[in-house]
Amino acid sequence: RTPPGSSGGGGAVERSHTPGPAGRAALEHASKLELSNQALLAELEERKRREEELVQEKKRMEMKHKIFERQRTKDLEELEKKKGQHELQMQAIQEEKKELERLREEVPKQGLAAAAAVGGAVGGSGGRGSRLAPLDRMATGMDKGGDSRGSVLRLGTRCRYESATYGWMPAIVKGYNESDGTYNLDVKPHVPSDKIAPPGDVAAAEAWPAGAMASYLSSSVDRWLPALVVSFNESDGTYNLDVRDHADIDRIRARSLGDATASRTDARRSTVDRQAGLGKQEVTQLGQQAAALMTQQRSRPSREEDGSREGADNKKAPYRLSDLEATASRPPADPSAPSAPPRWVNKGDVCFVREHGLVFIQSSVGRDGCYTVKVDDKKQFAVQTESMRAPKDAKFAWAPGTQVSYLSASVGKWIDAQVLSFNFANGTYNLDVRPEANPDNVRPR
């Protein structure tokens, strides 16, 4: 037996190895290096993550910048478009103003000669001449001989048809019947020309062509006048006619060949008669005012309150023709003076309703005291007479002779009145009961 502690067979004795101080220091240093390496790796991962977030944020900012630039470009284009429309409207207003000034200067030769004679009788020094009410431009259109160059609506022309059952409805011209002067539409054959009107909301390419024969409802003479289409205003959807610029489509109808000659003759005769009547009325008023001024001048030797009519030697200066013109626009005091035939606000006229602005009257007042009016082709409603007022725009002014009611401040109630004329300078009406009446105090009777 081998004694304890012996290796038996002479083998080496196995011993456990314990590191010394140097080994322990190396191990600690390796452990620190490993921890530092892990911290660096974690920091590297965090940097990568932040870089990715910054890249994504940059992409989002670039996308927002592109959207902003697109919106900014769109807003600028919209502003330019509105600016162009505003400039077109201003040009139209300036043209209409020039046309009104030109119409004011167009007075009958007889009226001018008579006014000059009255000015000489009162010792006047010339002045601006008589101030007659502006006339419609129908005479200008007739002098151009427009009807001889007019043509009926072409095949395929878009229009509106006034159906007795459904009201206004879109239609297309399919042909013209020379035998009875009617049109064949895609919705109905043999339609009278007075039931056909231009369409609304169309481009210039789809509008009625230049030279097309039409009829225009003039507010100044209260009748349909023969006209020719000159051009289409795409900015506001109106037409320039040879008798009226910027004519509303609701005041335009088609016209057939059969009534061209008769309508032109009647319109020319109406123009001549109206000019002669206005000239006679102006001469009558100026004569009466001249006599009154002469009597007043003889009966008032004392100094006037207004020294602007006196000379340096305190002698009264002679009256001028412009003194007569200051009262020429007022209604004549003599009830026997010439006046327009009475008429009532009716279909085709325009009025002002506070909630809707300018509206077009579609039918006369009914038994319930309401008018049928419309704002556009789709919106039509009934309105009480109490809510209607006279238009302030000279283009839609009610014609002389219109029977109205006037809200008198002196009596505090509505009284019956009649329109004598419209004042283009300040947009008021001369009534037989009140000169320069505010349109807000004038309504249909």
Side-chain angles (χ1 to χ4, degrees):
R1 297 178 60 183
T2 302
S6 61
S7 58
V13 178
E14 182 178 356
R15 297 177 180 178
S16 61
H17 178 75
T18 301
R24 286 196 299 271
L27 290 175
E28 291 177 359
H29 182 67
S31 177
K32 290 180 179 179
L33 289 176
E34 185 176 0
L35 291 175
S36 177
N37 188 30
Q38 291 177 356
L40 290 174
L41 289 175
E43 185 179 356
L44 181 62
E45 291 295 331
E46 180 65 19
R47 288 186 177 183
K48 288 182 179 180
R49 185 182 64 79
R50 291 179 61 186
E51 287 180 357
E52 291 178 356
E53 290 180 352
L54 290 175
V55 170
Q56 295 297 328
E57 184 67 20
K58 181 180 179 181
K59 290 181 179 180
R60 286 194 294 269
M61 294 298 293
E62 290 177 350
M63 182 62 66
K64 289 181 179 180
H65 181 70
K66 290 180 180 179
I67 295 175
F68 173 78
E69 288 295 331
R70 285 199 296 266
Q71 184 65 31
R72 181 173 176 269
T73 303
K74 184 178 179 181
D75 293 342
L76 290 175
E77 291 176 353
E78 187 68 21
L79 288 175
E80 289 295 332
K81 183 178 179 181
K82 291 182 178 179
K83 181 180 178 181
Q85 293 177 352
H86 179 71
E87 290 178 352
L88 291 175
Q89 292 176 356
M90 291 301 296
Q91 291 177 2
I93 292 174
Q94 291 297 330
E95 291 176 359
E96 186 173 357
K97 181 179 179 181
K98 291 180 180 179
E99 185 64 20
L100 290 175
E101 293 295 334
R102 186 184 67 81
L103 290 176
R104 286 185 177 183
E105 296 176 358
E106 290 182 358
V107 294
K109 294 182 178 180
Q110 295 179 355
L112 285 175
V118 173
V122 297
S125 59
R128 294 170 295 175
S130 68
R131 185 169 57 183
L132 296 179
L135 300 178
D136 202 289
R137 297 191 317 168
M138 61 182 178
T140 306
M142 295 301 114
D143 294 339
K144 294 179 181 178
D147 288 330
S148 61
R149 301 192 303 270
S151 60
V152 297
L153 298 178
R154 297 193 298 252
L155 178 66
T157 302
R158 291 185 56 187
C159 62
R160 290 182 299 157
Y161 164 60
E162 187 179 16
S163 170
T165 305
Y166 304 104
W168 288 104
M169 55 191 303
I172 299 177
V173 175
K174 293 297 184 181
Y176 176 74
N177 304 302
E178 294 185 1
S179 59
D180 56 2
T182 60
Y183 285 88
N184 293 330
L185 306 181
D186 59 342
V187 295
K188 184 178 180 180
H190 291 279
V191 176
S193 58
D194 60 355
K195 297 294 183 181
I196 301 175
D201 299 330
V202 296
E206 299 176 326
W208 284 10
M213 293 195 306
S215 296
Y216 171 69
L217 180 58
S218 171
S219 59
S220 59
V221 298
D222 192 27
R223 60 176 297 172
W224 290 94
L225 305 178
L228 288 178
V229 174
V230 176
S231 61
F232 176 70
N233 303 304
E234 194 168 2
S235 60
D236 56 2
T238 60
Y239 283 83
N240 293 328
L241 307 179
D242 60 344
V243 299
R244 174 75 180 190
D245 290 336
H246 290 274
D248 192 88
I249 59 175
D250 291 318
R251 287 182 171 268
I252 302 175
R253 298 292 186 271
R255 186 161 53 93
S256 59
L257 291 172
D259 57 357
T261 304
S263 298
R264 181 172 60 208
T265 303
D266 293 343
R268 190 185 296 274
R269 183 183 297 113
S270 175
T271 303
V272 175
D273 294 344
R274 186 166 179 267
Q275 289 178 343
L278 287 174
K280 182 179 179 181
Q281 180 179 358
E282 183 75 6
V283 172
T284 302
Q285 293 182 16
L286 289 175
Q288 294 174 353
Q289 293 159 2
L293 286 173
M294 292 176 68
T295 303
Q296 183 181 16
Q297 186 177 10
R298 290 193 299 265
S299 61
R300 290 189 180 182
S302 60
R303 176 187 177 95
E304 293 287 331
E305 293 182 0
D306 184 5
S308 61
R309 295 291 297 125
E310 297 180 353
D313 55 354
N314 290 337
K315 293 181 179 180
K316 182 167 300 223
Y319 281 95
R320 299 172 295 182
L321 185 59
S322 57
D323 296 328
L324 300 181
E325 292 174 349
T327 56
S329 61
R330 296 184 181 178
D334 185 5
S336 63
S339 60
R343 63 178 299 275
W344 280 259
V345 176
N346 209 331
K347 179 180 179 180
D349 287 330
V350 177
C351 69
F352 178 81
V353 179
R354 184 180 298 275
E355 294 80 5
H356 304 281
L358 289 177
V359 297
F360 294 90
I361 298 176
Q362 292 296 104
S363 66
S364 57
V365 62
R367 295 181 179 179
D368 56 353
C370 293
Y371 284 83
T372 301
V373 300
K374 74 170 186 176
V375 180
D376 49 40
D377 292 337
K378 298 180 180 180
K379 189 172 183 180
Q380 184 170 312
F381 55 92
V383 61
Q384 290 282 348
T385 306
E386 289 76 9
S387 302
M388 303 168 65
R389 295 296 183 269
K392 302 178 182 179
D393 192 343
K395 182 168 60 175
F396 303 114
W398 291 348
T402 303
Q403 305 298 304
V404 298
S405 294
Y406 170 69
L407 181 57
S408 173
S410 58
V411 299
K413 65 178 183 179
W414 293 90
I415 60 176
D416 293 343
Q418 176 176 316
V419 174
L420 298 181
S421 62
F422 180 79
N423 299 307
F424 288 83
N426 54 12
T428 59
Y429 288 84
N430 291 328
L431 308 180
D432 57 349
V433 298
R434 169 79 179 186
E436 297 185 352
N438 191 331
D440 293 335
N441 295 334
V442 181
R443 72 182 187 190
R445 191 188 300 183

